[in-house]
Amino acid sequence: MTIDVRKPMLSLMLTAALTAPATTISPDATDEALINPGMGLVHYAYSSRIWAYDTGLEPGDTLDGIVPGTSVAYMRLPWSYLEPEEGVYRWDILDVKARPWIAAGKKVAFRVAVMDHTLNSIPDWAMKAGVKGTWRHYRNDPKRTEWFEPEWDDPILLAKHEAFLRAFAERWDGNPDVAFVDVGSFGAFGEGHSRGLKAIRREPGGEERFNRLAKIHLDLFRRCLPNTYLVVSDDIGDGWCPDEDHPLMAYARKLGIGFRDDSIFCYGRSHCWTHAGWARKFAKTSPVVVETGHHVRLHKAGGGDAAEEKWFPEMILQNIVAYQASYYAVQSFPKHMWKTHAHLWRDLARRIGYRLELRNVRFPDAVRAGEPVEIVSTWVNVGVAPLHAGASLAWNLLDDRGVVVWSFVDPEFDFRTLEPTLEDGEKPVEVVSPCTFGYTAQVPNNGNDAILNWCIQNNQDDPGKTVALLKPGVYTLAVSVGRNDGKPEIALPLEGGVGRVYPVGRISVVE
């Protein structure tokens, strides 16, 4: 018997031709500011004041045309605004700011404080219920207005505020439109410091007592908002511990609470920030939030009235690297901020958080429907923080209408593993994605399928003997990053994307 080896050899050659990488594309990265989950610039819609910093903006403005890359509207308000009567909540004060941002595909964030210098943050009805505390002059200056500091473990305070937080949680806990919520019930402005707390820390055994009080409030927020990303101010720890860990920081991490710095640029150039060591410990697992001091006060060239210049824009890009920051909040009026430092905000928007660049991709010119192929791509995270939530890589085929007709998700690679670009430079990763495009199946016809019999008998919608879910033809190969079910969620700095799906080349599918 003679065996003709030419047919199997021809088949092997054709298979090799169809599966070998034949095209390499190195797309140019754009410099646009991207809006992505878990990162971005933060706008103070309310900054402890009902009017700042939205003054000067039109209702519903989400800053797309003013400060590109702004992804979060942040609302910091005293408790007394939101619960003027016990059990009566003014959520509309939050909604009026939140809804335009949510409609634009952006996020919101909150802090509700129980101590603030502009007015008594504890509602009058709660004060009348017997919250214990002390009236003090702001900055201990008798010429300044008094503000009320509660006893931080007062049972009436804790019970009333917990009831408020539980009502707040009914709206916002686990809400996908919420980027983060600050632990805001401990200390002045919710920052974990006050005249009374400083006095406690100076007492014998005071640090232990302070930590006990702080944990009460950390536990309160975690209990009331179990499904929300919470962050706590760095000031809850010692203000001048740049590197050593702190027991409260470790406790916050144990509870799954993240880190924010309130605020950099408050103490002059020699102490622009002090907690980069803490921030980096948190940045391994969760997004870090950085807040600057009030730009309009600290920047003397911009009209600020600080006794000395405390605004150093050239150091902001150093700060986001030092902290591996995912969110950056500048306390300022957006138009004034852009007018004075537009170039800085452009650079900041391109470095904050994560930024995934596709450096090159190799793929075959042609593939056989239903047979495995490999697509090899190289990625770099040029941002300063990891993509903490993770994301999957998908390769899609688009028809000439731009419709996704096939999508294959890499079953192994997670963008969470892509390291950010820090002091030691870029860390490119090559990803080999096993893909299969198309599926062809026989149509079983044993006479028992009533639906198939109807199709044949009526000569209508007869599938024939085989069904091909992807027709032969030339398609656009496109990349997307998002959920492991293939839904695109991450914007990439690539041209031509529609719905966060980005074309990279053309590929033929043959039977």
Side-chain angles (χ1 to χ4, degrees):
M1 181 176 64
T2 301
I3 299 177
D4 187 349
V5 299
R6 292 176 297 174
K7 289 184 178 180
M9 285 296 294
L10 180 61
S11 176
L12 288 171
M13 292 171 61
L14 178 58
T15 299
L18 290 174
T19 59
T23 299
T24 299
I25 302 292
S26 299
D28 293 328
T30 68
D31 63 356
E32 63 186 309
L34 304 175
I35 300 297
N36 271 322
M39 57 158 285
L41 304 183
V42 178
H43 165 59
Y44 280 78
Y46 298 125
S47 179
S48 298
R49 303 157 180 84
I50 202 69
W51 53 271
Y53 281 105
D54 254 4
T55 307
L57 300 179
E58 293 296 325
D61 198 330
T62 59
L63 302 190
D64 290 323
I66 300 175
V67 186
T70 307
S71 65
V72 177
Y74 177 63
M75 287 170 264
R76 177 187 296 176
L77 283 176
W79 173 20
S80 54
Y81 275 123
L82 299 175
E83 194 178 4
E85 300 176 43
E86 187 166 13
V88 177
Y89 305 106
R90 293 299 309 271
W91 303 132
D92 50 322
I93 296 173
L94 304 179
D95 292 342
V96 70
K97 302 295 184 183
R99 286 181 179 170
W101 289 76
I102 293 170
K106 300 185 179 186
K107 307 289 184 182
V108 292
F110 304 101
R111 182 189 298 186
V112 180
V114 302
M115 184 179 179
D116 195 277
H117 69 301
T118 59
L119 76 166
N120 186 24
S121 296
I122 301 173
D124 289 342
W125 59 264
M127 295 289 289
K128 292 175 182 177
V131 174
K132 294 182 177 64
T134 305
W135 287 95
R136 305 183 188 280
H137 288 284
Y138 180 58
R139 296 189 183 276
N140 204 24
D141 183 350
K143 297 179 182 179
R144 301 275 191 128
T145 302
E146 286 186 310
W147 58 339
F148 184 76
E149 177 175 359
E151 294 182 5
W152 298 105
D153 57 354
D154 178 75
I156 295 176
L157 170 72
L158 294 174
K160 300 298 186 184
H161 198 61
E162 178 161 355
F164 168 81
L165 289 175
R166 291 194 179 279
F168 177 89
E170 289 180 6
R171 278 179 142 250
W172 299 111
D173 185 41
N175 189 317
D177 297 318
V178 175
F180 56 87
V181 173
D182 296 352
V183 175
S185 63
F186 185 58
F189 318 113
E191 293 179 357
H193 59 78
S194 68
R195 185 179 168 192
L197 290 172
K198 288 180 181 178
I200 289 173
R201 293 186 117 158
R202 290 193 295 265
E203 298 172 354
E207 197 67 25
E208 182 178 345
R209 181 184 171 195
F210 177 91
N211 290 351
R212 179 185 66 82
L213 293 173
K215 288 179 180 180
I216 288 173
H217 291 266
L218 291 171
D219 291 342
L220 170 65
F221 268 75
R222 186 76 289 169
R223 182 169 66 249
C224 293
L225 295 157
N227 305 301
T228 297
Y229 179 52
L230 301 174
V231 295
V232 65
S233 171
D234 62 321
D235 291 338
I236 199 174
D238 190 336
W240 305 106
C241 279
D243 295 315
E244 310 86 32
D245 203 2
H246 188 281
L248 288 176
M249 297 294 108
Y251 188 73
R253 290 197 299 274
K254 180 181 177 181
L255 295 179
I257 295 175
F259 177 86
R260 69 172 289 140
D261 191 311
D262 292 341
S263 311
I264 71 165
F265 291 166
C266 289
Y267 297 103
R269 185 179 291 274
S270 61
H271 290 93
C272 285
W273 57 81
T274 60
H275 292 139
W278 292 359
R280 286 217 171 182
K281 286 182 174 66
F282 281 86
K284 294 177 182 178
T285 56
S286 59
V288 167
V289 183
V290 176
E291 167 190 287
T292 72
H294 292 273
H295 171 239
V296 294
R297 281 212 59 242
L298 303 178
H299 182 40
K300 293 178 72 65
D305 62 355
E308 60 177 299
E309 180 64 54
K310 294 181 180 179
W311 186 262
F312 309 109
E314 72 279 5
M315 299 188 73
I316 286 182
L317 294 179
Q318 298 176 36
N319 176 251
I320 65 170
V321 173
Y323 276 63
Q324 291 191 249
S326 291
Y327 292 104
Y328 217 79
V330 179
Q331 297 189 78
S332 188
F333 298 99
K335 291 180 181 178
H336 177 71
M337 187 172 69
W338 189 259
K339 179 181 178 181
T340 55
H341 299 296
H343 66 287
L344 171 63
W345 311 130
R346 290 192 187 97
D347 292 342
L348 182 58
R350 289 192 292 266
R351 284 282 277 152
I352 191 71
Y354 57 89
R355 188 179 180 92
L356 312 178
E357 287 191 0
L358 174 62
R359 291 297 170 80
N360 57 67
V361 54
R362 302 195 309 274
F363 56 92
D365 287 330
V367 300
R368 190 186 300 279
E371 291 190 357
V373 296
E374 290 182 345
I375 297 178
V376 182
S377 55
T378 302
W379 294 87
V380 177
N381 180 0
V382 299
V384 299
L387 199 171
H388 291 99
S392 295
L393 171 62
W395 296 102
N396 312 274
L397 298 184
L398 314 181
D399 65 14
D400 291 338
R401 301 168 298 161
V403 174
V404 176
V405 296
W406 202 267
S407 183
F408 198 93
V409 180
D410 189 305
E412 299 293 336
F413 181 66
D414 190 332
F415 280 94
R416 182 186 286 111
T417 63
L418 202 61
E419 294 185 51
T421 300
L422 300 172
E423 299 90 342
D424 51 352
E426 294 183 348
K427 303 174 184 65
V429 171
E430 184 178 271
V431 182
V432 180
S433 300
C435 299
T436 304
F437 297 111
Y439 183 82
T440 302
Q442 298 290 324
V443 177
N445 185 2
N446 57 13
N448 293 335
D449 190 332
I451 305 304
L452 179 61
N453 293 338
W454 181 91
C455 293
I456 295 172
Q457 292 167 7
N458 290 275
N459 195 27
Q460 185 172 331
D461 298 316
D462 185 352
K465 295 182 178 180
T466 60
V467 172
L469 298 184
L470 181 65
K471 296 179 179 179
V474 179
Y475 296 94
T476 296
L477 178 66
V479 66
S480 62
V481 177
R483 296 192 328 203
N484 61 6
D485 63 2
K487 180 181 178 181
E489 289 190 327
I490 307 299
L492 302 176
L494 293 171
E495 294 283 1
V498 177
R500 304 198 167 191
V501 178
Y502 300 86
V504 295
R506 300 283 279 176
I507 191 168
S508 297
V509 176
V510 301
E511 292 184 7

